[in-house]
């Protein structure tokens, strides 16, 4: 039984979600010389599910190397990545406020998919899972979009919104995993961790 796991993610929401299911964890964040954002680059017309699983695997590879380089005690490692897909188009993190407005205009009145891939590794054993949910936004007026972007909440979030924040006022329907939409599907994560001997 492992007393704790490493969470290789800068997302405070993922840390909160692990705490929610009673998983002791320590952050294992990228070193300043690591280009973590470069791992998230989309390759051509990549399918959203393939993309999010590939990025998660790359993040886990980097975290395993980081763990070895720092000589830290062995423990299970967890990585995750979330992407928003409208049809076959991947909506990543907005680069500017204008980019956030563009994405929210696309999502307005539409149903989109939120895909979160989770990967855990302990020693040589690696396990993965993919959560897919559907979210339908109400029709947003240009003023509502501008007001939401002005809160700053869309920045740094796939699809330019956070389900647990102000955007909830505009979400008409959710099918799937609420925690998966937040960034870490708890049922799938707990299932993987239990297989590595972690208590949840």
């Amino acid at each position: 039984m492992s007393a704790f796991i490493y969470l290789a993610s800068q997302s405070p929401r993922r840390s909160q979600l692990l705490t929610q299911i009673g998983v002791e964890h320590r952050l294992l964040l990228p070193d300043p010389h690591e280009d973590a954002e470069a791992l998230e680059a989309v390759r051509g017309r990549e399918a959203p599910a393939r993309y999010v699983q590939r990025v998660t695997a790359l993040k886990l590879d980097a975290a395993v190397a980081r763990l070895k380089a720092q000589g830290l005690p062995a423990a299970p490692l967890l990585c995750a990545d979330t992407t928003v897909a409208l049809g076959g188009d991947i909506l990543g993190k907005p680069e500017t406020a204008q980019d956030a407005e563009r994405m929210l205009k696309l999502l307005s009145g539409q149903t989109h998919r939120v895909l979160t891939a989770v990967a855990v590794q302990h020693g040589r054993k690696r396990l993965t899972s993919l959560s897919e949910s559907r979210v339908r936004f109400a029709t947003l007026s240009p003023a509502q979009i501008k007001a939401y972007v002005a809160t700053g909440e869309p920045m740094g979030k796939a699809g330019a919104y956070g389900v647990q924040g102000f955007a909830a006022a505009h979400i008409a329907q959710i099918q799937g995993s609420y925690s998966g939409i937040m960034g870490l599907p708890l049922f799938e994560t707990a299932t993987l961790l239990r297989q590595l001997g972690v208590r949840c």
Side-chain angles (χ1 to χ4, degrees), residues 70-150:
Q70 294 181 16
L72 295 167
L77 257 168
L78 184 147
C79 279
D81 192 65
T82 302
T83 198
V84 167
L86 188 61
D89 294 330
I90 293 167
L91 301 184
K93 296 169 185 169
E95 292 179 10
T96 61
Q98 288 75 20
D99 196 27
E101 286 185 25
R102 176 188 67 81
M103 289 187 196
L104 291 163
K105 277 178 193 155
L106 289 172
L107 297 177
S108 171
Q110 301 292 321
T111 298
H112 63 271
R113 291 179 297 148
V114 180
L115 300 114
T116 298
V118 183
V120 294
Q121 183 162 332
H122 193 28
R124 296 196 168 192
K125 189 173 186 182
R126 180 176 288 203
L127 303 170
T128 62
S129 188
L130 179 68
S131 162
E132 182 172 326
S133 302
R134 290 178 187 274
V135 178
R136 183 165 63 81
F137 264 92
T139 301
L140 299 166
S141 70
Q144 284 175 319
I145 289 172
K146 279 197 180 300
Y148 179 53
V149 172

Side-chain angles (χ1 to χ4, degrees), residues 7-20 23 25 27 29 80 93 153 155-157 164 179 182-184 186:
L7 172 63
S9 173
Q10 300 185 57
S11 161
R13 293 168 299 284
R14 291 192 179 115
S15 180
Q16 288 161 5
L17 287 164
L18 281 176
T19 300
Q20 184 182 324
V23 176
H25 59 282
L27 295 181
L29 300 178
K93 296 169 185 169
E153 190 177 275
M155 306 315 291
K157 294 184 177 68
Q164 72 286 352
S179 58
M182 274 180 75
L184 192 69
L186 289 180

Side-chain angles (χ1 to χ4, degrees), residues 41-60:
V42 180
R43 291 182 184 165
R45 289 291 297 165
E46 203 168 7
R50 184 183 291 270
Y51 163 78
V52 77
Q53 289 172 301
R54 178 180 64 78
V55 169
T56 303
L58 289 173
K59 285 183 175 182
L60 189 52

